[in-house]
């Protein structure tokens, strides 16, 4: 069972194997925040582990991530979690499918990087 300290840690998830993208995101992480990079939800452990994170960034263009839209569906429908899911990239078809699976917002790569400070401020409670 996670402690109160674990629950209060400022962490977020990046689902991506793109080293350049992950590096750019990591470079933007402010002090006091932790980035957890994975390519599969199973890498995080049990679904309760997802709850210990403030938001999730999902790279829709990543070929290593087996089924990014399925990942959104698993979080929303199977796990019934309401963590913010921000999708990066993807074509219109991928975005539409992710939207139907209830992903929250969609951004291009550069826009995501530019908006990171906003995300950290918004979820810094």
């Amino acid at each position: 069972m996670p402690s109160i300290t674990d629950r209060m840690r400022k962490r977020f998830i990046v689902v991506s194997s793109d080293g350049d993208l992950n590096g750019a995101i990591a470079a933007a992480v402010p002090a006091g925040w932790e980035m957890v990079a994975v390519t599969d939800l199973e890498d995080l452990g049990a679904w309760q582990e997802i709850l210990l994170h403030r938001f999730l960034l999902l790279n829709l263009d990543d070929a290593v991530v087996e089924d990014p839209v399925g990942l959104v569906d698993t979080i929303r429908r199977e796990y019934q979690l309401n963590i913010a899911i921000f999708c990066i990239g993807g074509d219109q078809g991928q975005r539409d499918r992710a939207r139907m699976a209830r992903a929250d917002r969609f951004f291009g790569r550069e826009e995501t990087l530019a908006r990171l400070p906003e995300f950290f401020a918004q979820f810094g409670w």
Side-chain angles (χ1 to χ4, degrees):
M1 178 158 214
S3 68
I4 291 174
T5 302
D6 282 339
R7 291 178 184 178
M8 295 306 296
R9 288 169 50 197
K10 295 177 182 176
R11 295 186 271 185
F12 69 102
I13 301 165
V14 177
V15 182
S16 174
S17 68
D18 182 330
D20 292 337
L21 177 62
N22 292 359
I25 293 170
V29 176
W33 278 86
E34 300 172 49
M35 177 178 128
V36 177
V38 299
T39 56
D40 191 302
L41 286 181
E42 304 223 351
D43 296 339
L44 295 169
W47 65 268
Q48 298 93 328
E49 295 299 316
I50 296 170
L51 290 174
L52 298 175
H53 298 81
R54 308 281 174 101
F55 62 92
L56 183 145
L57 299 172
L58 173 60
N59 184 357
L60 292 176
D61 293 326
D62 196 324
V64 174
V65 178
E66 187 174 321
D67 181 11
V69 175
L71 182 142
V72 175
D73 187 60
T74 297
I75 290 172
R76 296 292 194 235
R77 203 164 43 100
E78 184 179 331
Y79 297 168
Q80 298 186 357
L81 301 179
N82 198 28
I83 185 173
I85 300 174
F86 302 121
C87 295
I88 304 167
D91 61 31
Q92 192 59 48
Q94 287 173 304
R95 287 180 171 203
D96 289 344
R97 288 188 302 280
R99 187 173 287 110
M100 293 295 292
R102 297 181 292 159
D104 293 297
R105 300 288 305 273
F106 302 86
F107 305 104
R109 183 185 191 108
E110 295 307 314
E111 185 180 8
T112 300
L113 295 172
R115 295 191 75 163
L116 283 173
E118 176 186 330
F119 299 156
F120 294 126
Q122 180 178 356
F123 294 97
W125 41 263

